Amino acid sequence: VDVEEVRRRAGVELDEAGVAAVAELLERVIGDAQELEEELDLEGVEPFAVP
Amino acid sequence: VSDPADLSLARARAAIAVGEVSPTEMVEAVLRRIERENPRLNAYLHVDGDAALAAAAAAPPGPLGGIPVCVKDVIDVAGMPTTAGTAEWRRQPEADAPAVARLRAAGAVVVGKGHTNELAYGIDGRNPHHGDCGNPHDPARIAGGSTSGPTAAVVAGLALGGVGTDTTGSLRVPPSLCGAVGLRTGLGVVPRAGVLPLAWSYDVVGPVARSVEDCGRLLEVLAGRPFPRQAHRLDGLGIGLVAELAAERCEPYVERALHAAAASLRELGARVEPFELPVAHRAGAVHYPIQMAEAAAVHGSRLEQIASRCAPDVRERLVAGRLLPADTVLTAARARRLLVDRTHAAMENARVDLLLAPATPTVAPRRDADNVEVRGRAVPIRSALLSAVLPFSQLPGPTLSLPLGEHERLPFGMQLSGRPGTEELVLRAGMAWEAVR
Protein backbone atom coordinates (compact mmCIF):
# COMPACT_ATOMS: atom_id res chain seq x y z
CA VAL A 1 0.00 0.00 0.00
CA ASP A 2 1.45 3.32 -1.12
CA VAL A 3 1.45 5.83 1.74
CA GLU A 4 1.39 8.78 -0.66
CA GLU A 5 -1.69 7.40 -2.36
CA VAL A 6 -3.39 7.02 1.03
CA ARG A 7 -2.62 10.66 1.81
CA ARG A 8 -3.86 11.84 -1.61
CA ARG A 9 -7.08 9.81 -1.70
CA ALA A 10 -8.07 9.91 1.98
CA GLY A 11 -10.46 12.83 1.52
CA VAL A 12 -9.90 13.62 5.20
CA GLU A 13 -7.03 15.46 6.79
CA LEU A 14 -4.70 12.93 8.39
CA ASP A 15 -1.48 13.47 10.26
CA GLU A 16 1.58 11.30 9.59
CA ALA A 17 0.59 8.76 12.23
CA GLY A 18 -2.93 8.59 10.80
CA VAL A 19 -1.68 8.00 7.24
CA ALA A 20 0.64 5.26 8.49
CA ALA A 21 -2.16 3.66 10.50
CA VAL A 22 -4.54 3.64 7.51
CA ALA A 23 -1.84 2.18 5.25
CA GLU A 24 -1.07 -0.53 7.79
CA LEU A 25 -4.75 -1.36 8.23
CA LEU A 26 -5.28 -1.57 4.47
CA GLU A 27 -2.23 -3.78 4.09
CA ARG A 28 -3.50 -6.17 6.75
CA VAL A 29 -7.09 -6.35 5.49
CA ILE A 30 -6.06 -6.78 1.84
CA GLY A 31 -3.47 -9.40 2.82
CA ASP A 32 -6.04 -11.34 4.88
CA ALA A 33 -8.47 -11.32 1.94
CA GLN A 34 -5.75 -12.61 -0.40
CA GLU A 35 -5.03 -15.45 2.02
CA LEU A 36 -8.75 -16.14 2.19
CA GLU A 37 -8.90 -16.48 -1.58
CA GLU A 38 -5.94 -18.84 -1.61
CA GLU A 39 -7.30 -20.96 1.23
CA LEU A 40 -10.93 -21.27 0.10
CA ASP A 41 -12.23 -22.50 -3.21
CA LEU A 42 -14.37 -19.54 -4.26
CA GLU A 43 -14.82 -20.65 -7.86
CA GLY A 44 -18.50 -20.20 -8.73
CA VAL A 45 -19.38 -18.74 -5.33
CA GLU A 46 -21.51 -15.61 -5.51
CA PRO A 47 -21.20 -12.83 -2.91
CA PHE A 48 -23.43 -13.02 0.15
CA ALA A 49 -26.51 -10.86 -0.24
CA VAL A 50 -29.00 -9.97 2.47
CA PRO A 51 -32.05 -12.22 2.00
CA VAL B 1 -43.44 -3.64 45.43
CA SER B 2 -40.36 -2.20 47.15
CA ASP B 3 -38.90 -0.39 44.14
CA PRO B 4 -40.64 -0.75 40.76
CA ALA B 5 -37.33 -0.07 39.00
CA ASP B 6 -36.12 -3.49 40.16
CA LEU B 7 -39.03 -5.43 38.66
CA SER B 8 -38.61 -7.64 35.64
CA LEU B 9 -40.52 -6.43 32.61
CA ALA B 10 -42.92 -9.37 32.92
CA ARG B 11 -43.53 -8.73 36.63
CA ALA B 12 -43.93 -4.99 36.04
CA ARG B 13 -46.57 -5.64 33.39
CA ALA B 14 -48.47 -7.87 35.79
CA ALA B 15 -48.21 -5.24 38.55
CA ILE B 16 -49.45 -2.51 36.21
CA ALA B 17 -52.29 -4.70 34.92
CA VAL B 18 -53.73 -5.22 38.42
CA GLY B 19 -53.18 -1.59 39.47
CA GLU B 20 -50.43 -2.45 41.96
CA VAL B 21 -48.20 0.12 40.24
CA SER B 22 -49.30 2.83 37.81
CA PRO B 23 -47.33 3.62 34.63
CA THR B 24 -46.52 7.02 36.17
CA GLU B 25 -45.13 5.42 39.34
CA MET B 26 -43.15 3.03 37.17
CA VAL B 27 -41.55 5.84 35.19
CA GLU B 28 -40.98 7.95 38.31
CA ALA B 29 -39.10 5.06 39.90
CA VAL B 30 -36.85 4.72 36.84
CA LEU B 31 -36.24 8.47 36.69
CA ARG B 32 -35.20 8.44 40.36
CA ARG B 33 -32.78 5.61 39.58
CA ILE B 34 -31.41 7.52 36.60
CA GLU B 35 -30.82 10.58 38.75
CA ARG B 36 -28.93 8.48 41.27
CA GLU B 37 -27.00 6.10 39.00
CA ASN B 38 -26.51 7.77 35.63
CA PRO B 39 -23.70 10.04 36.87
CA ARG B 40 -21.84 6.84 37.84
CA LEU B 41 -22.76 4.71 34.79
CA ASN B 42 -23.31 7.21 31.96
CA ALA B 43 -25.87 4.83 30.45
CA TYR B 44 -27.96 7.66 28.98
CA LEU B 45 -26.73 10.39 26.65
CA HIS B 46 -30.13 12.11 26.71
CA VAL B 47 -33.05 11.86 29.14
CA ASP B 48 -36.42 13.56 28.75
CA GLY B 49 -38.18 13.00 32.06
CA ASP B 50 -41.07 15.36 31.39
CA ALA B 51 -41.88 13.71 28.07
CA ALA B 52 -41.60 10.28 29.69
CA LEU B 53 -44.01 11.23 32.48
CA ALA B 54 -46.47 12.70 29.97
CA ALA B 55 -46.23 9.52 27.89
CA ALA B 56 -46.72 7.36 30.98
CA ALA B 57 -49.89 9.25 31.92
CA ALA B 58 -51.28 8.56 28.44
CA ALA B 59 -49.73 5.12 27.87
CA PRO B 60 -52.07 2.81 25.94
CA PRO B 61 -52.83 -0.50 27.68
CA GLY B 62 -50.79 -2.65 25.30
CA PRO B 63 -48.38 -5.52 26.00
CA LEU B 64 -45.72 -3.01 27.08
CA GLY B 65 -48.11 -0.51 28.66
CA GLY B 66 -46.16 1.73 31.07
CA ILE B 67 -42.80 -0.04 30.58
CA PRO B 68 -39.84 2.42 30.54
CA VAL B 69 -37.34 1.69 27.77
CA CYS B 70 -33.92 3.00 26.79
CA VAL B 71 -33.25 3.40 23.05
CA LYS B 72 -29.70 3.32 21.71
CA ASP B 73 -28.71 6.69 20.33
CA VAL B 74 -28.44 5.56 16.70
CA ILE B 75 -32.20 4.95 16.54
CA ASP B 76 -34.59 7.85 15.91
CA VAL B 77 -37.04 8.87 18.61
CA ALA B 78 -39.27 11.81 17.70
CA GLY B 79 -38.48 14.83 19.86
CA MET B 80 -35.07 13.58 20.96
CA PRO B 81 -31.75 14.18 19.18
CA THR B 82 -29.97 11.32 17.44
CA THR B 83 -26.23 11.87 17.89
CA ALA B 84 -24.78 8.36 17.41
CA GLY B 85 -22.34 9.27 20.15
CA THR B 86 -20.44 11.62 17.86
CA ALA B 87 -18.85 14.95 18.79
CA GLU B 88 -20.92 17.18 16.49
CA TRP B 89 -23.14 15.28 14.06
CA ARG B 90 -26.80 15.10 15.06
CA ARG B 91 -30.28 15.03 13.61
CA GLN B 92 -33.55 16.00 15.22
CA PRO B 93 -36.07 13.43 13.94
CA GLU B 94 -39.70 14.37 13.61
CA ALA B 95 -40.80 10.75 13.46
CA ASP B 96 -39.99 7.62 15.43
CA ALA B 97 -38.06 4.83 13.74
CA PRO B 98 -40.65 2.10 12.95
CA ALA B 99 -39.14 -0.11 15.66
CA VAL B 100 -39.67 2.65 18.24
CA ALA B 101 -43.15 3.41 16.88
CA ARG B 102 -44.07 -0.24 17.47
CA LEU B 103 -42.84 -0.05 21.06
CA ARG B 104 -44.78 3.14 21.73
CA ALA B 105 -47.94 1.77 20.11
CA ALA B 106 -47.64 -1.16 22.53
CA GLY B 107 -47.54 1.28 25.45
CA ALA B 108 -43.78 1.48 26.11
CA VAL B 109 -42.43 4.78 27.41
CA VAL B 110 -39.15 5.99 25.91
CA VAL B 111 -37.17 7.56 28.74
CA GLY B 112 -34.13 8.60 26.76
CA LYS B 113 -31.29 7.75 24.37
CA GLY B 114 -28.70 5.22 25.45
CA HIS B 115 -24.91 5.49 25.33
CA THR B 116 -23.11 4.06 22.31
CA ASN B 117 -19.61 3.85 20.91
CA GLU B 118 -19.08 6.63 18.38
CA LEU B 119 -21.17 5.76 15.26
CA ALA B 120 -21.74 2.36 16.89
CA TYR B 121 -18.29 1.55 15.51
CA GLY B 122 -16.78 -0.11 18.57
CA ILE B 123 -17.21 -3.03 20.94
CA ASP B 124 -16.04 -1.68 24.29
CA GLY B 125 -18.59 0.99 25.34
CA ARG B 126 -15.95 3.71 25.42
CA ASN B 127 -16.60 7.13 23.95
CA PRO B 128 -14.02 9.94 23.79
CA HIS B 129 -16.67 12.66 23.34
CA HIS B 130 -19.27 11.67 25.92
CA GLY B 131 -17.27 9.54 28.35
CA ASP B 132 -17.30 5.78 28.81
CA CYS B 133 -20.31 3.75 29.88
CA GLY B 134 -19.58 2.04 33.20
CA ASN B 135 -20.34 -1.58 33.95
CA PRO B 136 -23.13 -1.80 36.55
CA HIS B 137 -21.21 -4.53 38.41
CA ASP B 138 -18.08 -2.38 38.64
CA PRO B 139 -18.06 1.06 36.96
CA ALA B 140 -14.25 0.89 36.75
CA ARG B 141 -14.79 -1.79 34.10
CA ILE B 142 -16.18 -1.43 30.59
CA ALA B 143 -19.81 -2.25 29.82
CA GLY B 144 -18.98 -3.46 26.31
CA GLY B 145 -20.46 -1.83 23.23
CA SER B 146 -21.82 -0.55 21.18
CA THR B 147 -25.25 -1.15 22.79
CA SER B 148 -23.59 -0.07 26.03
CA GLY B 149 -26.22 2.33 27.38
CA PRO B 150 -29.39 0.25 26.97
CA THR B 151 -27.61 -2.78 28.44
CA ALA B 152 -26.23 -0.97 31.49
CA ALA B 153 -29.62 0.73 31.90
CA VAL B 154 -31.65 -2.48 32.07
CA VAL B 155 -29.19 -4.17 34.43
CA ALA B 156 -29.10 -1.22 36.86
CA GLY B 157 -32.84 -0.42 36.83
CA LEU B 158 -32.54 2.70 34.67
CA ALA B 159 -35.02 1.06 32.26
CA LEU B 160 -36.93 -2.22 32.15
CA GLY B 161 -36.20 -2.84 28.49
CA GLY B 162 -33.73 -1.66 25.88
CA VAL B 163 -33.40 -1.51 22.13
CA GLY B 164 -30.08 -1.59 20.35
CA THR B 165 -28.31 -2.60 17.19
CA ASP B 166 -25.78 -5.31 16.35
CA THR B 167 -23.35 -5.21 13.45
CA THR B 168 -20.45 -7.22 14.83
CA GLY B 169 -21.50 -8.11 18.38
CA SER B 170 -23.14 -5.04 19.87
CA LEU B 171 -26.20 -6.85 21.24
CA ARG B 172 -24.13 -9.77 22.52
CA VAL B 173 -20.90 -8.45 24.06
CA PRO B 174 -22.50 -5.85 26.42
CA PRO B 175 -25.07 -8.36 27.72
CA SER B 176 -22.27 -10.86 28.30
CA LEU B 177 -20.16 -8.37 30.26
CA CYS B 178 -23.08 -6.85 32.18
CA GLY B 179 -25.15 -9.97 32.91
CA ALA B 180 -28.09 -9.22 30.60
CA VAL B 181 -29.83 -10.91 27.68
CA GLY B 182 -29.51 -9.50 24.17
CA LEU B 183 -30.74 -10.80 20.84
CA ARG B 184 -29.04 -10.29 17.51
CA THR B 185 -32.20 -10.80 15.47
CA GLY B 186 -32.10 -12.42 12.06
CA LEU B 187 -31.46 -10.10 9.13
CA GLY B 188 -34.68 -8.24 8.27
CA VAL B 189 -36.72 -9.44 11.26
CA VAL B 190 -37.00 -5.95 12.80
CA PRO B 191 -37.27 -2.87 10.54
CA ARG B 192 -34.13 -0.73 10.31
CA ALA B 193 -35.61 2.47 8.91
CA GLY B 194 -34.80 5.48 11.08
CA VAL B 195 -31.60 3.83 12.32
CA LEU B 196 -28.22 5.32 11.46
CA PRO B 197 -26.54 2.39 9.69
CA LEU B 198 -23.03 1.15 10.29
CA ALA B 199 -22.83 -1.67 7.73
CA TRP B 200 -25.97 -2.58 5.81
CA SER B 201 -25.36 -6.27 5.27
CA TYR B 202 -24.73 -6.86 8.98
CA ASP B 203 -26.91 -4.33 10.84
CA VAL B 204 -29.88 -5.55 12.84
CA VAL B 205 -32.13 -4.01 15.50
CA GLY B 206 -32.91 -6.09 18.59
CA PRO B 207 -33.89 -6.11 22.26
CA VAL B 208 -31.86 -6.21 25.44
CA ALA B 209 -33.40 -7.10 28.79
CA ARG B 210 -32.81 -8.71 32.17
CA SER B 211 -34.18 -12.11 31.21
CA VAL B 212 -34.91 -14.21 28.14
CA GLU B 213 -38.62 -13.89 28.78
CA ASP B 214 -38.38 -10.09 28.92
CA CYS B 215 -36.33 -10.16 25.72
CA GLY B 216 -39.06 -12.24 24.07
CA ARG B 217 -41.75 -9.78 25.17
CA LEU B 218 -39.83 -6.92 23.57
CA LEU B 219 -39.16 -8.91 20.42
CA GLU B 220 -42.83 -9.79 20.14
CA VAL B 221 -43.57 -6.09 19.70
CA LEU B 222 -40.47 -5.22 17.66
CA ALA B 223 -41.01 -8.05 15.19
CA GLY B 224 -44.81 -8.03 15.31
CA ARG B 225 -45.28 -11.75 15.95
CA PRO B 226 -45.83 -13.92 19.03
CA PHE B 227 -42.98 -15.65 20.83
CA PRO B 228 -43.02 -18.19 23.68
CA ARG B 229 -43.40 -17.13 27.30
CA GLN B 230 -42.24 -20.37 28.88
CA ALA B 231 -40.14 -23.41 28.05
CA HIS B 232 -39.17 -26.29 30.30
CA ARG B 233 -38.00 -29.21 28.16
CA LEU B 234 -35.87 -29.35 25.04
CA ASP B 235 -36.57 -32.94 24.01
CA GLY B 236 -35.49 -33.69 20.49
CA LEU B 237 -33.53 -30.46 20.05
CA GLY B 238 -30.08 -30.83 18.49
CA ILE B 239 -27.42 -28.44 19.79
CA GLY B 240 -23.93 -28.13 18.34
CA LEU B 241 -21.34 -27.24 20.96
CA VAL B 242 -18.71 -24.98 19.38
CA ALA B 243 -16.12 -25.98 21.94
CA GLU B 244 -13.10 -24.89 19.90
CA LEU B 245 -13.96 -21.21 20.45
CA ALA B 246 -13.92 -21.75 24.20
CA ALA B 247 -10.81 -23.91 24.18
CA GLU B 248 -8.72 -21.62 21.98
CA ARG B 249 -10.00 -18.12 22.60
CA CYS B 250 -11.48 -18.02 26.12
CA GLU B 251 -10.30 -18.19 29.69
CA PRO B 252 -10.58 -21.66 31.28
CA TYR B 253 -13.43 -20.55 33.57
CA VAL B 254 -15.51 -19.71 30.48
CA GLU B 255 -14.71 -23.08 28.91
CA ARG B 256 -15.66 -24.95 32.09
CA ALA B 257 -18.94 -23.05 32.41
CA LEU B 258 -19.80 -23.73 28.76
CA HIS B 259 -19.36 -27.47 29.19
CA ALA B 260 -21.45 -27.32 32.37
CA ALA B 261 -24.19 -25.53 30.42
CA ALA B 262 -24.01 -28.22 27.74
CA ALA B 263 -24.54 -30.85 30.45
CA SER B 264 -27.56 -28.94 31.79
CA LEU B 265 -29.06 -28.69 28.31
CA ARG B 266 -28.63 -32.46 27.92
CA GLU B 267 -30.54 -32.96 31.16
CA LEU B 268 -33.32 -30.84 29.67
CA GLY B 269 -33.61 -33.35 26.84
CA ALA B 270 -31.43 -31.74 24.17
CA ARG B 271 -28.88 -33.74 22.20
CA VAL B 272 -25.66 -31.74 22.57
CA GLU B 273 -22.75 -32.77 20.35
CA PRO B 274 -19.42 -31.21 19.40
CA PHE B 275 -19.68 -29.01 16.32
CA GLU B 276 -16.93 -27.53 14.22
CA LEU B 277 -17.91 -24.12 12.87
CA PRO B 278 -16.69 -23.88 9.26
CA VAL B 279 -14.30 -21.03 8.42
CA ALA B 280 -14.65 -19.67 11.99
CA HIS B 281 -10.92 -18.95 12.22
CA ARG B 282 -11.29 -16.70 9.17
CA ALA B 283 -14.33 -14.74 10.32
CA GLY B 284 -12.32 -11.54 10.79
CA ALA B 285 -10.88 -11.70 7.29
CA VAL B 286 -14.44 -12.09 5.99
CA HIS B 287 -15.99 -9.41 8.16
CA TYR B 288 -13.65 -6.43 8.13
CA PRO B 289 -13.45 -5.61 4.40
CA ILE B 290 -17.24 -5.70 4.09
CA GLN B 291 -17.90 -3.74 7.26
CA MET B 292 -15.24 -1.12 6.51
CA ALA B 293 -16.37 -0.56 2.92
CA GLU B 294 -20.03 -0.37 3.89
CA ALA B 295 -19.34 1.98 6.82
CA ALA B 296 -17.41 4.34 4.56
CA ALA B 297 -20.19 4.24 1.96
CA VAL B 298 -22.92 4.80 4.58
CA HIS B 299 -21.43 8.18 5.43
CA GLY B 300 -20.56 9.04 1.83
CA SER B 301 -20.41 12.78 1.35
CA ARG B 302 -20.56 13.55 5.07
CA LEU B 303 -17.62 11.28 5.80
CA GLU B 304 -15.20 14.20 5.70
CA GLN B 305 -17.27 16.20 8.18
CA ILE B 306 -17.78 13.26 10.52
CA ALA B 307 -14.30 11.79 10.24
CA SER B 308 -12.54 15.06 11.00
CA ARG B 309 -13.93 14.95 14.56
CA CYS B 310 -13.84 11.18 15.07
CA ALA B 311 -11.60 9.34 17.47
CA PRO B 312 -8.46 8.29 15.54
CA ASP B 313 -9.28 4.58 15.41
CA VAL B 314 -12.78 5.22 13.99
CA ARG B 315 -11.43 7.76 11.47
CA GLU B 316 -8.75 5.35 10.28
CA ARG B 317 -11.26 2.57 9.69
CA LEU B 318 -13.62 4.92 7.84
CA VAL B 319 -10.84 6.21 5.59
CA ALA B 320 -9.46 2.72 4.98
CA GLY B 321 -12.95 1.56 4.05
CA ARG B 322 -13.10 4.22 1.36
CA LEU B 323 -9.76 3.09 -0.08
CA LEU B 324 -10.28 -0.68 -0.08
CA PRO B 325 -10.04 -2.27 -3.54
CA ALA B 326 -13.32 -3.71 -4.85
CA ASP B 327 -11.82 -7.18 -5.32
CA THR B 328 -10.93 -7.34 -1.62
CA VAL B 329 -14.51 -6.55 -0.62
CA LEU B 330 -15.96 -9.01 -3.13
CA THR B 331 -13.60 -11.78 -2.05
CA ALA B 332 -14.81 -11.26 1.52
CA ALA B 333 -18.47 -11.24 0.44
CA ARG B 334 -17.98 -14.49 -1.51
CA ALA B 335 -16.19 -16.06 1.46
CA ARG B 336 -19.11 -15.00 3.66
CA ARG B 337 -21.50 -16.84 1.34
CA LEU B 338 -19.29 -19.94 1.62
CA LEU B 339 -19.15 -19.65 5.42
CA VAL B 340 -22.93 -19.35 5.66
CA ASP B 341 -23.63 -22.21 3.25
CA ARG B 342 -21.09 -24.52 4.88
CA THR B 343 -22.39 -23.75 8.37
CA HIS B 344 -26.00 -24.43 7.40
CA ALA B 345 -25.01 -27.62 5.55
CA ALA B 346 -22.97 -28.84 8.54
CA MET B 347 -25.93 -28.14 10.84
CA GLU B 348 -28.21 -30.06 8.49
CA ASN B 349 -25.83 -33.03 8.28
CA ALA B 350 -25.37 -33.18 12.04
CA ARG B 351 -29.11 -32.67 12.64
CA VAL B 352 -28.27 -29.63 14.73
CA ASP B 353 -30.89 -26.93 15.29
CA LEU B 354 -28.86 -24.49 17.40
CA LEU B 355 -25.22 -23.70 18.05
CA LEU B 356 -23.87 -23.11 21.56
CA ALA B 357 -20.74 -21.00 22.07
CA PRO B 358 -19.20 -18.54 24.51
CA ALA B 359 -20.04 -14.85 24.07
CA THR B 360 -16.89 -13.25 25.48
CA PRO B 361 -13.54 -14.80 26.39
CA THR B 362 -13.37 -13.12 29.80
CA VAL B 363 -15.36 -11.00 32.21
CA ALA B 364 -15.40 -7.21 31.66
CA PRO B 365 -11.89 -5.73 31.34
CA ARG B 366 -10.93 -2.64 33.29
CA ARG B 367 -11.64 0.71 31.60
CA ASP B 368 -8.01 1.82 31.89
CA ALA B 369 -6.64 -1.34 30.22
CA ASP B 370 -5.61 -1.71 26.57
CA ASN B 371 -5.19 -5.48 26.72
CA VAL B 372 -6.84 -8.36 28.46
CA GLU B 373 -5.18 -11.61 29.43
CA VAL B 374 -6.55 -14.70 27.70
CA ARG B 375 -4.83 -18.00 28.53
CA GLY B 376 -1.67 -16.20 29.55
CA ARG B 377 -1.48 -13.97 26.47
CA ALA B 378 -2.09 -10.21 26.43
CA VAL B 379 -4.72 -9.63 23.72
CA PRO B 380 -5.96 -6.17 22.59
CA ILE B 381 -9.41 -5.69 24.12
CA ARG B 382 -11.19 -5.21 20.79
CA SER B 383 -9.75 -8.42 19.32
CA ALA B 384 -10.55 -10.37 22.45
CA LEU B 385 -14.15 -9.16 22.73
CA LEU B 386 -14.86 -9.86 19.07
CA SER B 387 -13.26 -13.30 18.97
CA ALA B 388 -16.32 -15.35 19.91
CA VAL B 389 -19.07 -13.19 18.38
CA LEU B 390 -17.54 -12.53 14.94
CA PRO B 391 -18.22 -15.97 13.43
CA PHE B 392 -21.91 -15.69 14.31
CA SER B 393 -22.17 -12.14 12.94
CA GLN B 394 -21.66 -13.62 9.47
CA LEU B 395 -24.81 -15.75 9.72
CA PRO B 396 -28.23 -14.43 8.68
CA GLY B 397 -30.14 -16.06 11.55
CA PRO B 398 -30.64 -14.97 15.18
CA THR B 399 -28.06 -15.26 17.96
CA LEU B 400 -29.02 -14.87 21.61
CA SER B 401 -26.52 -13.72 24.23
CA LEU B 402 -27.42 -14.75 27.77
CA PRO B 403 -25.71 -15.14 31.14
CA LEU B 404 -23.52 -18.24 31.47
CA GLY B 405 -21.65 -17.77 34.75
CA GLU B 406 -19.68 -15.51 37.06
CA HIS B 407 -16.00 -15.14 37.80
CA GLU B 408 -14.87 -13.06 40.73
CA ARG B 409 -18.46 -11.77 41.00
CA LEU B 410 -18.48 -10.51 37.41
CA PRO B 411 -20.77 -12.04 34.75
CA PHE B 412 -19.93 -13.61 31.40
CA GLY B 413 -22.26 -14.99 28.77
CA MET B 414 -22.89 -17.56 26.08
CA GLN B 415 -24.49 -17.53 22.62
CA LEU B 416 -27.26 -19.66 21.16
CA SER B 417 -27.46 -19.28 17.39
CA GLY B 418 -29.98 -20.59 14.89
CA ARG B 419 -30.81 -20.58 11.20
CA PRO B 420 -32.98 -17.80 9.74
CA GLY B 421 -36.48 -17.70 11.18
CA THR B 422 -35.60 -19.50 14.43
CA GLU B 423 -36.04 -16.65 16.91
CA GLU B 424 -38.76 -18.66 18.64
CA LEU B 425 -36.49 -21.70 19.01
CA VAL B 426 -33.54 -19.66 20.24
CA LEU B 427 -35.70 -17.96 22.87
CA ARG B 428 -37.27 -21.26 23.93
CA ALA B 429 -33.87 -22.85 24.49
CA GLY B 430 -32.68 -19.74 26.33
CA MET B 431 -35.72 -19.78 28.60
CA ALA B 432 -35.29 -23.47 29.43
CA TRP B 433 -31.64 -22.85 30.33
CA GLU B 434 -32.55 -19.78 32.35
CA ALA B 435 -35.07 -21.79 34.37
CA VAL B 436 -32.48 -24.31 35.57
CA ARG B 437 -29.41 -22.10 35.78
Side-chain angles (χ1 to χ4, degrees):
Chain A
V1 174
D2 180 11
V3 171
E4 273 315 308
E5 194 184 346
V6 168
R7 195 191 319 277
R8 188 168 48 78
R9 293 182 53 212
V12 173
E13 205 168 308
L14 293 171
D15 59 17
E16 288 305 312
V19 171
V22 171
E24 190 186 322
L25 182 56
L26 280 170
E27 195 126 347
R28 193 170 70 237
V29 171
I30 293 168
D32 283 351
Q34 284 168 349
E35 284 178 21
L36 206 55
E37 192 157 25
E38 287 161 17
E39 189 180 315
L40 304 175
D41 180 9
L42 295 175
E43 183 66 34
V45 179
E46 293 187 7
F48 177 84
V50 177
Chain B
V1 177
S2 54
D3 187 339
D6 291 323
L7 294 175
S8 71
L9 191 159
R11 176 76 184 85
R13 267 306 304 147
I16 290 169
V18 298
E20 201 178 333
V21 181
S22 72
T24 299
E25 288 168 334
M26 191 72 245
V27 170
E28 282 173 343
V30 161
L31 290 173
R32 278 195 301 274
R33 187 69 64 86
I34 291 171
E35 194 174 345
R36 196 181 81 201
E37 295 291 332
N38 203 50
R40 194 171 71 98
L41 296 177
N42 200 23
Y44 281 91
L45 298 179
H46 179 87
V47 176
D48 192 338
D50 291 340
L53 287 169
L64 297 177
I67 298 297
V69 297
C70 174
V71 177
K72 184 178 180 179
D73 194 20
V74 294
I75 304 172
D76 284 350
V77 175
M80 296 184 187
T82 302
T83 73
T86 58
E88 283 179 355
W89 179 87
R90 65 171 49 205
R91 65 186 179 204
Q92 197 72 38
E94 291 180 2
D96 288 334
V100 173
R102 288 180 180 184
L103 291 175
R104 293 222 240 210
V109 176
V110 178
V111 175
K113 304 296 289 289
H115 184 283
T116 172
N117 279 83
E118 186 174 26
L119 297 172
Y121 210 169
I123 200 69
D124 55 14
R126 290 168 167 148
N127 188 306
H129 313 297
H130 302 278
D132 300 345
C133 183
N135 190 303
H137 295 271
D138 176 0
R141 294 175 182 269
I142 61 170
S146 60
T147 307
S148 33
T151 306
V154 297
V155 170
L158 282 61
L160 269 63
V163 185
T165 57
D166 186 316
T167 304
T168 313
S170 295
L171 275 163
R172 291 166 288 154
V173 169
S176 177
L177 300 183
C178 294
V181 178
L183 179 65
R184 175 180 168 83
T185 51
L187 292 172
V189 169
V190 178
R192 294 187 310 193
V195 179
L196 185 74
L198 173 58
W200 298 292
S201 71
Y202 288 106
D203 290 347
V204 299
V205 174
V208 59
R210 291 180 204 159
S211 69
V212 180
E213 183 186 350
D214 286 359
C215 214
R217 285 174 181 255
L218 289 164
L219 183 66
E220 206 162 68
V221 171
L222 289 167
R225 57 174 119 128
F227 289 106
R229 293 284 161 84
Q230 286 185 326
H232 301 294
R233 295 289 304 170
L234 298 175
D235 297 305
L237 191 74
I239 297 179
L241 173 63
V242 189
E244 82 217 54
L245 282 179
E248 294 167 8
R249 305 185 192 184
C250 296
E251 284 284 83
Y253 59 81
V254 175
E255 185 182 14
R256 283 194 298 273
L258 190 73
H259 284 283
S264 296
L265 291 165
R266 280 190 195 103
E267 285 174 16
L268 289 166
R271 180 175 45 80
V272 185
E273 293 174 354
F275 185 89
E276 197 174 320
L277 196 59
V279 204
H281 65 294
R282 284 299 199 177
V286 172
H287 187 86
Y288 294 123
I290 303 170
Q291 183 191 26
M292 288 164 60
E294 290 185 2
V298 159
H299 296 293
S301 58
R302 66 170 177 260
L303 191 141
E304 190 169 347
Q305 178 213 344
I306 285 181
S308 64
R309 291 296 312 275
C310 275
D313 67 315
V314 175
R315 179 166 54 235
E316 287 151 16
R317 280 179 284 160
L318 285 172
V319 171
R322 176 184 264 184
L323 302 182
L324 272 174
D327 65 341
T328 297
V329 181
L330 284 168
T331 294
R334 295 168 74 200
R336 185 181 179 192
R337 162 59 60 204
L338 201 70
L339 184 155
V340 170
D341 289 350
R342 284 187 183 175
T343 301
H344 289 168
M347 290 174 75
E348 191 73 37
N349 289 340
R351 293 185 300 114
V352 156
D353 305 292
L354 299 177
L355 302 176
L356 171 66
T360 53
T362 67
V363 296
R366 294 188 59 82
R367 276 162 63 178
D368 55 8
D370 294 324
N371 297 310
V372 63
E373 194 173 298
V374 181
R375 295 200 182 251
R377 290 176 298 118
V379 182
I381 285 177
R382 187 194 297 160
S383 304
L385 294 182
L386 290 173
S387 61
V389 289
L390 253 179
F392 299 96
S393 307
Q394 311 315 310
L395 304 175
T399 302
L400 184 70
S401 173
L402 66 169
L404 170 61
E406 286 187 359
H407 177 69
E408 295 176 351
R409 303 178 71 181
L410 293 166
F412 56 91
M414 67 184 194
Q415 299 178 92
L416 281 169
S417 186
R419 277 170 282 202
T422 60
E423 275 79 7
E424 188 267 347
L425 191 62
V426 167
L427 289 168
R428 196 159 61 83
M431 261 185 266
W433 153 253
E434 197 171 57
V436 297
R437 186 179 161 240

